[in-house]
Amino acid sequence: MLIAGNWKMFKGPRETGEFCRALREADLPEDVDVVVCPPYVSLAEAVQALAGTEIGVFAQNCHWEREGPYTGEISPALLLEIGVYGTIVGHSERRQLFGETDETVALRARAALEAGLHVIACVGETEAEREAGRTDEVLRRQVSVLEEDESLVVAYEPVWAIGTGKTATAEMAQQAHELVKSLLDVPVLYGGSVKPENAAELLGQPAVDGALVGGASLDVESFAAICRASSLVRS
Ligand code: PEP
């Protein structure tokens, strides 16, 4: 089980330090891998504050080149230099708001893996795509550009469930995860309005290997509660 908190554009270094020190003291289960994904400017603080723990620090994106004239981008080498363990790629907010495509997601995932980072690659259909019966087609297309790797995890995040309070039913999540797993033999996380109250049901599905959590990961207590819920369903 892996529980990753995607902080998006929240928490500067000061708040990150406070959060990570509180997370160190929180009651986290030992059989769950826990990851936080702060904004770039807070990564070094998170690495420092979590040093000596098993909690991993991931970025929210990374570029495919090692270095070069790419204003505003950050490479895998730069992340590794400050002790970052992995990165998210292809989050739907990147795809929808910043022009990310399947091709650029594939480039980012490959470069990060080759550099030695762990990768959480996000896939998921929009509401219109689900309503048009195109969920499978979209997932097949998004997954087809990714290559199996022992450091790769896919996050199934239906776009209509992100930050909306709507979640996929446990059955929808199970179906989508089974499809992704039939295409790629990797762990698959569910993401989309996961909270302490709904975590056990979603994480209890056999094809659900963890969660990528946005809003509910910003509070130490609710994030820790989701981690505990994920441990209970598999024990
Ligand atoms: C996310 O941003 O990956 C996410 C799942 O957000 P939320 O949990 O807030 O829906």
Side-chain angles (χ1 to χ4, degrees):
M1 242 345 145
L2 167 64
I3 305 295
N6 173 17
W7 294 1
K8 313 191 185 197
M9 203 169 70
F10 293 97
K11 298 193 192 296
R14 186 184 48 77
E15 229 187 302
T16 294
E18 286 165 11
F19 182 100
C20 292
R21 283 187 289 278
L23 193 60
R24 285 183 80 113
E25 302 305 318
D27 176 20
L28 295 176
E30 281 179 9
D31 57 346
V32 175
D33 294 320
V34 179
V35 157
V36 292
C37 312
Y40 285 132
V41 294
S42 302
L43 288 169
E45 179 68 33
V47 168
Q48 209 180 1
L50 294 171
T53 73
E54 297 283 304
I55 302 167
V57 178
F58 277 41
Q60 297 173 14
N61 197 12
C62 82
H63 196 259
W64 52 90
E65 293 291 348
R66 194 178 188 287
E67 57 187 7
Y70 303 104
T71 303
E73 292 286 336
I74 299 287
S75 70
L78 296 176
L79 296 173
L80 285 162
E81 188 176 331
I82 59 163
V84 169
Y85 193 70
T87 185
I88 297 173
V89 297
H91 192 278
S92 64
E93 287 155 12
R94 301 293 323 165
R95 293 178 190 259
Q96 296 210 305
L97 305 173
F98 300 102
E100 200 79 68
T101 64
D102 291 337
E103 288 65 39
T104 56
V105 173
L107 286 169
R108 291 179 198 277
R110 188 177 316 128
L113 290 165
E114 277 173 6
L117 288 167
H118 285 67
V119 168
I120 299 173
C122 303
V123 300
E125 81 287 359
T126 62
E127 190 152 39
E129 288 164 343
R130 176 163 282 271
E131 278 169 6
R134 294 184 48 224
T135 300
D136 284 16
E137 169 203 328
V138 170
L139 293 179
R140 281 180 193 281
R141 195 197 72 226
Q142 293 176 336
V143 171
S144 71
V145 299
L146 301 170
E147 292 156 30
E148 219 161 273
D149 190 290
E150 61 183 20
S151 299
L152 175 69
V153 170
V154 168
Y156 167 60
E157 300 207 303
V159 177
W160 47 271
I162 295 181
T164 57
K166 293 186 201 171
T167 46
T169 62
E171 193 186 4
M172 282 177 194
Q174 173 67 16
Q175 266 176 13
H177 284 224
E178 278 176 1
L179 173 65
V180 173
K181 282 169 174 288
S182 74
L183 303 169
L184 218 50
D185 185 17
V186 295
V188 182
L189 312 181
Y190 170 78
S193 299
V194 175
K195 299 181 180 57
E197 307 82 61
N198 60 23
E201 194 190 355
L202 289 157
L203 292 160
Q205 299 304 304
V208 177
D209 303 308
L212 181 54
V213 186
S217 75
L218 294 171
D219 174 77
V220 176
E221 264 325 302
S222 70
F223 187 53
I226 292 169
C227 295
R228 287 193 293 272
S230 73
S231 170
L232 288 174
V233 295
R234 290 288 156 96
S235 55

